[in-house]
Amino acid sequence: MPPESLLARYAVPRGASDELIGADGQPTRAAREVLAALDRLGAHELRVRKRLSDDIFRDAGVTFAVYGEGKGVERIFPFDPVPRIVTAAEWARLERGLLQRVEALDRFLDDIYGAQRILQEKRVPRDLLAASRGWVKAVAGIRPPGGTRIHIAGIDLIRSPDGECRVLEDNVRTPSGVSYVLENRMVMKRVYPQLFRKTHVRTVEEYPARLREALESVAPADASGRPRTVLLTPGPYNSAYFEHSFLARRMGIELVQGSDLFVHRDRVYVKTTQGPQRVHVIYRRIDDAFLDPEAFRKDSMLGVPGLVRAWAGGHVTLANAIGNGIADDKAVYPFVPEMIRFYLGEEPVLPQVDTYICARDADRAYVLEHLHELVVKSVDEAGGYGMLMGPQASGKERQAFAAKIRANPRGFIAQPLVQLSTCPTLVGADLQPRRVDLRPYVVGGADRWVLPGGLTRVALRKGSYVVNSSQGGGSKDTWVLASSAAGGESVG
């Protein structure tokens, strides 16, 4: 590699694997053309284009809010110009594993709110589910229109040092981030068109149309004509409001708040200038507890009174279904491989990370003794909150967390610290390794479909393992290579 190369001083952290650089220190075959194109641009031109991409995001309002920084405080989601590349062969395997996993999770949810066969056969502990904050008793016995409970899933993947992609956690309540996938691609096309010239990349632009089709396919049986679909948002102060408005616009559906809807005779209606109009499908971005003040929090001003009655009666589809949070519980995560075996009669395609459940005496004792080696997570938190990075924490921090575990064992799980894979990332005038994960999105209705790519999140701070935007992370465009020119996009 020539000394002027941006990768001349690139060194993968010990014990980690890299997405674009092989064990011999050279670019992988899939990444060769892309990294050569970046080298031809040079550091100065890359920084110019990075500033241009930031301007595009700012002008388009591609932002997120971080709670605790005050209302109206918006940040641009940091974007890195070096794409993450996934080969067609690897993606085919990931796709199979994702479809398998989401199917098993959907059947699990249908079962535990119905016959509870998996509990009766003691394949999953009943007391573990009963103690979960994600368990919604009011959902028991209710089967949603179309039978689907997981309409949108975001499954977080990491690559361990052995090169294996593993599931880190499941997000089947109201997964966020897909708008950044679409915007990242748009920016790459505008700012770095030369990177597409010799690389056929599968398109991501069909996601909004695919999602709308999937939701319409599971509309209530009494829907006549084309079902009316709306996106229900908590409002402009929500951290993901940009995404809500972006998706509604791209899907060609109305963006509504709770005050725009009402229930009459167990049917949902939206207020319009032409009078009330029946709503058949609600893509809701509001948590269960705030959806309906009649059924849940009586002080909620965000939801719609009577919405649960309409859903239970089969007169409106809610995406995702109420009660899915139990499948996001990190203490339930260790049992997903068993769910796959139980419901599908198959072995899991995708492995996951070894997990200690602190509610178990033996696991808790091990965790407390090995806090300096483990990552401890709150079972209900997300976004990098409620977590202890044991190897990087101080003795005082570990002692404080040990007290939390003893006080509430059911509230925590622990996992070994996995050396996340790295990806070349523009830092100043150099490309440096930064750790990444991947959140692919699975859309479900009458059929299931996996968006080819997903949100690659990157830990921009040197040495950090935390990729969440709220904790200083950014994102990359994820390129799934087409097996041939057909089905890909080549931008000149």
mmCIF file of all heavy atoms in Angstrom, residues 259-291:
data_model
loop_
_atom_site.group_PDB
_atom_site.id
_atom_site.type_symbol
_atom_site.label_atom_id
_atom_site.label_comp_id
_atom_site.label_asym_id
_atom_site.label_seq_id
_atom_site.Cartn_x
_atom_site.Cartn_y
_atom_site.Cartn_z
ATOM 1 N N SER A 259 -54.802 13.564 19.344
ATOM 2 C CA SER A 259 -55.959 14.467 19.275
ATOM 3 C C SER A 259 -56.612 14.497 17.897
ATOM 4 O O SER A 259 -57.738 15.000 17.740
ATOM 5 C CB SER A 259 -55.528 15.887 19.661
ATOM 6 O OG SER A 259 -54.482 16.337 18.810
ATOM 7 N N ASP A 260 -55.927 13.948 16.870
ATOM 8 C CA ASP A 260 -56.500 13.910 15.522
ATOM 9 C C ASP A 260 -57.416 12.702 15.323
ATOM 10 O O ASP A 260 -58.125 12.622 14.315
ATOM 11 C CB ASP A 260 -55.383 13.840 14.472
ATOM 12 C CG ASP A 260 -54.480 15.059 14.505
ATOM 13 O OD1 ASP A 260 -55.022 16.175 14.605
ATOM 14 O OD2 ASP A 260 -53.243 14.890 14.441
ATOM 15 N N LEU A 261 -57.394 11.761 16.278
ATOM 16 C CA LEU A 261 -58.153 10.524 16.139
ATOM 17 C C LEU A 261 -59.220 10.427 17.223
ATOM 18 O O LEU A 261 -59.080 11.001 18.297
ATOM 19 C CB LEU A 261 -57.222 9.313 16.246
ATOM 20 C CG LEU A 261 -56.034 9.235 15.275
ATOM 21 C CD1 LEU A 261 -55.186 8.017 15.591
ATOM 22 C CD2 LEU A 261 -56.511 9.197 13.833
ATOM 23 N N PHE A 262 -60.266 9.671 16.942
ATOM 24 C CA PHE A 262 -61.248 9.354 17.974
ATOM 25 C C PHE A 262 -61.878 8.006 17.643
ATOM 26 O O PHE A 262 -61.801 7.514 16.499
ATOM 27 C CB PHE A 262 -62.318 10.450 18.103
ATOM 28 C CG PHE A 262 -63.243 10.571 16.912
ATOM 29 C CD1 PHE A 262 -64.469 9.891 16.885
ATOM 30 C CD2 PHE A 262 -62.899 11.370 15.831
ATOM 31 C CE1 PHE A 262 -65.321 10.012 15.801
ATOM 32 C CE2 PHE A 262 -63.757 11.497 14.739
ATOM 33 C CZ PHE A 262 -64.972 10.820 14.726
ATOM 34 N N VAL A 263 -62.470 7.386 18.657
ATOM 35 C CA VAL A 263 -63.099 6.073 18.496
ATOM 36 C C VAL A 263 -64.601 6.222 18.664
ATOM 37 O O VAL A 263 -65.075 6.852 19.620
ATOM 38 C CB VAL A 263 -62.541 5.064 19.525
ATOM 39 C CG1 VAL A 263 -63.296 3.736 19.435
ATOM 40 C CG2 VAL A 263 -61.047 4.854 19.305
ATOM 41 N N HIS A 264 -65.344 5.660 17.724
ATOM 42 C CA HIS A 264 -66.807 5.658 17.789
ATOM 43 C C HIS A 264 -67.291 4.269 17.423
ATOM 44 O O HIS A 264 -66.965 3.752 16.342
ATOM 45 C CB HIS A 264 -67.385 6.706 16.819
ATOM 46 C CG HIS A 264 -68.883 6.722 16.769
ATOM 47 N ND1 HIS A 264 -69.667 7.101 17.848
ATOM 48 C CD2 HIS A 264 -69.755 6.390 15.756
ATOM 49 C CE1 HIS A 264 -70.930 7.014 17.511
ATOM 50 N NE2 HIS A 264 -71.030 6.587 16.257
ATOM 51 N N ARG A 265 -68.054 3.648 18.334
ATOM 52 C CA ARG A 265 -68.549 2.291 18.129
ATOM 53 C C ARG A 265 -67.414 1.334 17.755
ATOM 54 O O ARG A 265 -67.524 0.524 16.836
ATOM 55 C CB ARG A 265 -69.652 2.268 17.072
ATOM 56 C CG ARG A 265 -70.916 3.019 17.515
ATOM 57 C CD ARG A 265 -72.010 2.920 16.482
ATOM 58 N NE ARG A 265 -73.232 3.613 16.943
ATOM 59 C CZ ARG A 265 -74.328 3.752 16.221
ATOM 60 N NH1 ARG A 265 -74.375 3.245 14.988
ATOM 61 N NH2 ARG A 265 -75.374 4.386 16.709
ATOM 62 N N ASP A 266 -66.332 1.470 18.472
ATOM 63 C CA ASP A 266 -65.155 0.603 18.332
ATOM 64 C C ASP A 266 -64.486 0.695 16.963
ATOM 65 O O ASP A 266 -63.744 -0.198 16.562
ATOM 66 C CB ASP A 266 -65.501 -0.861 18.630
ATOM 67 C CG ASP A 266 -65.852 -1.082 20.089
ATOM 68 O OD1 ASP A 266 -65.610 -0.164 20.900
ATOM 69 O OD2 ASP A 266 -66.372 -2.151 20.415
ATOM 70 N N ARG A 267 -64.738 1.782 16.251
ATOM 71 C CA ARG A 267 -64.010 2.072 15.019
ATOM 72 C C ARG A 267 -63.213 3.354 15.219
ATOM 73 O O ARG A 267 -63.656 4.254 15.942
ATOM 74 C CB ARG A 267 -64.943 2.254 13.819
ATOM 75 C CG ARG A 267 -65.296 0.967 13.052
ATOM 76 C CD ARG A 267 -66.182 0.064 13.819
ATOM 77 N NE ARG A 267 -66.659 -1.068 13.008
ATOM 78 C CZ ARG A 267 -67.369 -2.062 13.502
ATOM 79 N NH1 ARG A 267 -67.702 -2.079 14.803
ATOM 80 N NH2 ARG A 267 -67.767 -3.050 12.721
ATOM 81 N N VAL A 268 -62.051 3.413 14.589
ATOM 82 C CA VAL A 268 -61.186 4.592 14.727
ATOM 83 C C VAL A 268 -61.394 5.512 13.532
ATOM 84 O O VAL A 268 -61.455 5.047 12.377
ATOM 85 C CB VAL A 268 -59.698 4.173 14.820
ATOM 86 C CG1 VAL A 268 -58.810 5.405 14.998
ATOM 87 C CG2 VAL A 268 -59.483 3.206 15.979
ATOM 88 N N TYR A 269 -61.459 6.812 13.833
ATOM 89 C CA TYR A 269 -61.648 7.815 12.786
ATOM 90 C C TYR A 269 -60.602 8.917 12.933
ATOM 91 O O TYR A 269 -60.142 9.210 14.039
ATOM 92 C CB TYR A 269 -63.047 8.435 12.865
ATOM 93 C CG TYR A 269 -64.155 7.456 12.597
ATOM 94 C CD1 TYR A 269 -64.672 6.663 13.633
ATOM 95 C CD2 TYR A 269 -64.685 7.309 11.320
ATOM 96 C CE1 TYR A 269 -65.693 5.748 13.381
ATOM 97 C CE2 TYR A 269 -65.714 6.394 11.070
ATOM 98 C CZ TYR A 269 -66.202 5.621 12.105
ATOM 99 O OH TYR A 269 -67.205 4.711 11.857
ATOM 100 N N VAL A 270 -60.236 9.506 11.789
ATOM 101 C CA VAL A 270 -59.364 10.668 11.787
ATOM 102 C C VAL A 270 -60.188 11.883 11.371
ATOM 103 O O VAL A 270 -61.053 11.793 10.495
ATOM 104 C CB VAL A 270 -58.153 10.474 10.832
ATOM 105 C CG1 VAL A 270 -58.595 10.238 9.389
ATOM 106 C CG2 VAL A 270 -57.184 11.665 10.924
ATOM 107 N N LYS A 271 -59.942 13.008 12.021
ATOM 108 C CA LYS A 271 -60.638 14.248 11.696
ATOM 109 C C LYS A 271 -60.004 14.862 10.444
ATOM 110 O O LYS A 271 -58.786 15.040 10.388
ATOM 111 C CB LYS A 271 -60.539 15.234 12.860
ATOM 112 C CG LYS A 271 -61.072 14.678 14.185
ATOM 113 C CD LYS A 271 -60.679 15.574 15.349
ATOM 114 C CE LYS A 271 -61.037 14.940 16.688
ATOM 115 N NZ LYS A 271 -60.549 15.741 17.830
ATOM 116 N N THR A 272 -60.806 15.146 9.444
ATOM 117 C CA THR A 272 -60.309 15.776 8.220
ATOM 118 C C THR A 272 -61.212 16.936 7.848
ATOM 119 O O THR A 272 -62.300 17.108 8.421
ATOM 120 C CB THR A 272 -60.269 14.769 7.039
ATOM 121 O OG1 THR A 272 -61.598 14.567 6.555
ATOM 122 C CG2 THR A 272 -59.664 13.436 7.456
ATOM 123 N N THR A 273 -60.790 17.714 6.866
ATOM 124 C CA THR A 273 -61.602 18.843 6.409
ATOM 125 C C THR A 273 -62.863 18.358 5.687
ATOM 126 O O THR A 273 -63.809 19.128 5.497
ATOM 127 C CB THR A 273 -60.797 19.740 5.458
ATOM 128 O OG1 THR A 273 -60.251 18.936 4.398
ATOM 129 C CG2 THR A 273 -59.666 20.426 6.205
ATOM 130 N N GLN A 274 -62.867 17.069 5.288
ATOM 131 C CA GLN A 274 -64.062 16.486 4.668
ATOM 132 C C GLN A 274 -64.917 15.728 5.691
ATOM 133 O O GLN A 274 -65.861 15.023 5.319
ATOM 134 C CB GLN A 274 -63.668 15.516 3.553
ATOM 135 C CG GLN A 274 -63.193 16.192 2.260
ATOM 136 C CD GLN A 274 -61.754 16.655 2.379
ATOM 137 O OE1 GLN A 274 -60.925 15.937 2.917
ATOM 138 N NE2 GLN A 274 -61.489 17.855 1.884
ATOM 139 N N GLY A 275 -64.579 15.892 6.975
ATOM 140 C CA GLY A 275 -65.299 15.182 8.011
ATOM 141 C C GLY A 275 -64.552 13.937 8.459
ATOM 142 O O GLY A 275 -63.477 13.622 7.943
ATOM 143 N N PRO A 276 -65.073 13.195 9.441
ATOM 144 C CA PRO A 276 -64.383 12.004 9.951
ATOM 145 C C PRO A 276 -64.203 10.942 8.869
ATOM 146 O O PRO A 276 -65.116 10.687 8.087
ATOM 147 C CB PRO A 276 -65.311 11.501 11.060
ATOM 148 C CG PRO A 276 -66.164 12.680 11.426
ATOM 149 C CD PRO A 276 -66.330 13.463 10.162
ATOM 150 N N GLN A 277 -63.018 10.340 8.845
ATOM 151 C CA GLN A 277 -62.718 9.274 7.901
ATOM 152 C C GLN A 277 -62.207 8.055 8.671
ATOM 153 O O GLN A 277 -61.385 8.180 9.576
ATOM 154 C CB GLN A 277 -61.658 9.727 6.887
ATOM 155 C CG GLN A 277 -62.044 10.957 6.068
ATOM 156 C CD GLN A 277 -63.156 10.673 5.085
ATOM 157 O OE1 GLN A 277 -63.216 9.588 4.501
ATOM 158 N NE2 GLN A 277 -64.055 11.637 4.905
ATOM 159 N N ARG A 278 -62.687 6.886 8.301
ATOM 160 C CA ARG A 278 -62.314 5.649 8.986
ATOM 161 C C ARG A 278 -60.820 5.374 8.801
ATOM 162 O O ARG A 278 -60.267 5.497 7.706
ATOM 163 C CB ARG A 278 -63.138 4.490 8.423
ATOM 164 C CG ARG A 278 -62.727 3.104 8.916
ATOM 165 C CD ARG A 278 -63.386 2.710 10.216
ATOM 166 N NE ARG A 278 -62.870 1.417 10.665
ATOM 167 C CZ ARG A 278 -63.344 0.237 10.272
ATOM 168 N NH1 ARG A 278 -64.379 0.191 9.428
ATOM 169 N NH2 ARG A 278 -62.824 -0.882 10.719
ATOM 170 N N VAL A 279 -60.162 4.950 9.892
ATOM 171 C CA VAL A 279 -58.753 4.539 9.873
ATOM 172 C C VAL A 279 -58.698 3.033 10.091
ATOM 173 O O VAL A 279 -59.304 2.510 11.030
ATOM 174 C CB VAL A 279 -57.945 5.270 10.962
ATOM 175 C CG1 VAL A 279 -56.534 4.694 11.068
ATOM 176 C CG2 VAL A 279 -57.882 6.764 10.674
ATOM 177 N N HIS A 280 -57.940 2.344 9.252
ATOM 178 C CA HIS A 280 -57.865 0.880 9.334
ATOM 179 C C HIS A 280 -56.547 0.388 9.928
ATOM 180 O O HIS A 280 -56.515 -0.672 10.555
ATOM 181 C CB HIS A 280 -58.049 0.259 7.945
ATOM 182 C CG HIS A 280 -59.304 0.695 7.267
ATOM 183 N ND1 HIS A 280 -59.336 1.701 6.338
ATOM 184 C CD2 HIS A 280 -60.589 0.276 7.413
ATOM 185 C CE1 HIS A 280 -60.573 1.881 5.913
ATOM 186 N NE2 HIS A 280 -61.363 1.043 6.550
ATOM 187 N N VAL A 281 -55.465 1.131 9.703
ATOM 188 C CA VAL A 281 -54.136 0.710 10.176
ATOM 189 C C VAL A 281 -53.445 1.899 10.811
ATOM 190 O O VAL A 281 -53.423 2.992 10.233
ATOM 191 C CB VAL A 281 -53.269 0.170 9.017
ATOM 192 C CG1 VAL A 281 -51.905 -0.301 9.550
ATOM 193 C CG2 VAL A 281 -53.963 -0.962 8.276
ATOM 194 N N ILE A 282 -52.889 1.674 11.991
ATOM 195 C CA ILE A 282 -52.137 2.725 12.682
ATOM 196 C C ILE A 282 -50.706 2.234 12.907
ATOM 197 O O ILE A 282 -50.473 1.262 13.640
ATOM 198 C CB ILE A 282 -52.776 3.086 14.036
ATOM 199 C CG1 ILE A 282 -54.197 3.609 13.840
ATOM 200 C CG2 ILE A 282 -51.924 4.121 14.766
ATOM 201 C CD1 ILE A 282 -54.934 3.894 15.136
ATOM 202 N N TYR A 283 -49.768 2.892 12.239
ATOM 203 C CA TYR A 283 -48.347 2.664 12.509
ATOM 204 C C TYR A 283 -48.015 3.569 13.683
ATOM 205 O O TYR A 283 -47.852 4.761 13.540
ATOM 206 C CB TYR A 283 -47.521 2.993 11.275
ATOM 207 C CG TYR A 283 -46.018 2.904 11.449
ATOM 208 C CD1 TYR A 283 -45.421 2.246 12.517
ATOM 209 C CD2 TYR A 283 -45.170 3.478 10.507
ATOM 210 C CE1 TYR A 283 -44.051 2.168 12.662
ATOM 211 C CE2 TYR A 283 -43.792 3.401 10.621
ATOM 212 C CZ TYR A 283 -43.242 2.748 11.694
ATOM 213 O OH TYR A 283 -41.867 2.682 11.829
ATOM 214 N N ARG A 284 -47.983 2.977 14.854
ATOM 215 C CA ARG A 284 -47.888 3.807 16.059
ATOM 216 C C ARG A 284 -46.440 3.891 16.544
ATOM 217 O O ARG A 284 -45.720 2.897 16.593
ATOM 218 C CB ARG A 284 -48.801 3.268 17.151
ATOM 219 C CG ARG A 284 -48.615 1.788 17.500
ATOM 220 C CD ARG A 284 -47.715 1.591 18.677
ATOM 221 N NE ARG A 284 -47.703 0.214 19.136
ATOM 222 C CZ ARG A 284 -47.374 -0.142 20.355
ATOM 223 N NH1 ARG A 284 -47.032 0.762 21.235
ATOM 224 N NH2 ARG A 284 -47.362 -1.424 20.699
ATOM 225 N N ARG A 285 -46.030 5.114 16.893
ATOM 226 C CA ARG A 285 -44.701 5.345 17.454
ATOM 227 C C ARG A 285 -44.834 5.870 18.886
ATOM 228 O O ARG A 285 -44.051 6.694 19.338
ATOM 229 C CB ARG A 285 -43.920 6.315 16.565
ATOM 230 C CG ARG A 285 -43.650 5.778 15.169
ATOM 231 C CD ARG A 285 -42.776 4.538 15.145
ATOM 232 N NE ARG A 285 -41.437 4.820 15.610
ATOM 233 C CZ ARG A 285 -40.389 5.044 14.804
ATOM 234 N NH1 ARG A 285 -40.545 4.981 13.492
ATOM 235 N NH2 ARG A 285 -39.204 5.293 15.300
ATOM 236 N N ILE A 286 -45.836 5.354 19.575
ATOM 237 C CA ILE A 286 -46.110 5.689 20.970
ATOM 238 C C ILE A 286 -46.046 4.410 21.788
ATOM 239 O O ILE A 286 -46.560 3.370 21.367
ATOM 240 C CB ILE A 286 -47.502 6.345 21.115
ATOM 241 C CG1 ILE A 286 -47.528 7.703 20.398
ATOM 242 C CG2 ILE A 286 -47.877 6.524 22.575
ATOM 243 C CD1 ILE A 286 -48.883 8.389 20.451
ATOM 244 N N ASP A 287 -45.416 4.459 22.930
ATOM 245 C CA ASP A 287 -45.302 3.283 23.785
ATOM 246 C C ASP A 287 -46.668 2.817 24.271
ATOM 247 O O ASP A 287 -47.607 3.605 24.408
ATOM 248 C CB ASP A 287 -44.405 3.587 24.988
ATOM 249 C CG ASP A 287 -42.954 3.780 24.596
ATOM 250 O OD1 ASP A 287 -42.576 3.348 23.491
ATOM 251 O OD2 ASP A 287 -42.188 4.381 25.382
ATOM 252 N N ASP A 288 -46.743 1.514 24.600
ATOM 253 C CA ASP A 288 -47.994 0.911 25.054
ATOM 254 C C ASP A 288 -48.696 1.730 26.125
ATOM 255 O O ASP A 288 -49.901 1.973 26.061
ATOM 256 C CB ASP A 288 -47.725 -0.492 25.629
ATOM 257 C CG ASP A 288 -47.332 -1.510 24.568
ATOM 258 O OD1 ASP A 288 -47.405 -1.181 23.376
ATOM 259 O OD2 ASP A 288 -46.961 -2.630 24.950
ATOM 260 N N ALA A 289 -47.943 2.140 27.139
ATOM 261 C CA ALA A 289 -48.541 2.767 28.317
ATOM 262 C C ALA A 289 -49.284 4.055 27.993
ATOM 263 O O ALA A 289 -50.165 4.483 28.745
ATOM 264 C CB ALA A 289 -47.468 3.044 29.368
ATOM 265 N N PHE A 290 -48.948 4.687 26.870
ATOM 266 C CA PHE A 290 -49.543 5.986 26.544
ATOM 267 C C PHE A 290 -50.559 5.905 25.404
ATOM 268 O O PHE A 290 -51.110 6.921 24.992
ATOM 269 C CB PHE A 290 -48.435 6.978 26.159
ATOM 270 C CG PHE A 290 -47.471 7.258 27.271
ATOM 271 C CD1 PHE A 290 -46.307 6.510 27.393
ATOM 272 C CD2 PHE A 290 -47.735 8.234 28.204
ATOM 273 C CE1 PHE A 290 -45.413 6.754 28.427
ATOM 274 C CE2 PHE A 290 -46.862 8.483 29.247
ATOM 275 C CZ PHE A 290 -45.696 7.741 29.361
ATOM 276 N N LEU A 291 -50.841 4.693 24.919
ATOM 277 C CA LEU A 291 -51.693 4.546 23.741
ATOM 278 C C LEU A 291 -53.160 4.853 23.999
ATOM 279 O O LEU A 291 -53.848 5.386 23.127
ATOM 280 C CB LEU A 291 -51.583 3.118 23.200
ATOM 281 C CG LEU A 291 -50.553 2.849 22.110
ATOM 282 C CD1 LEU A 291 -50.580 1.380 21.733
ATOM 283 C CD2 LEU A 291 -50.771 3.722 20.899
#
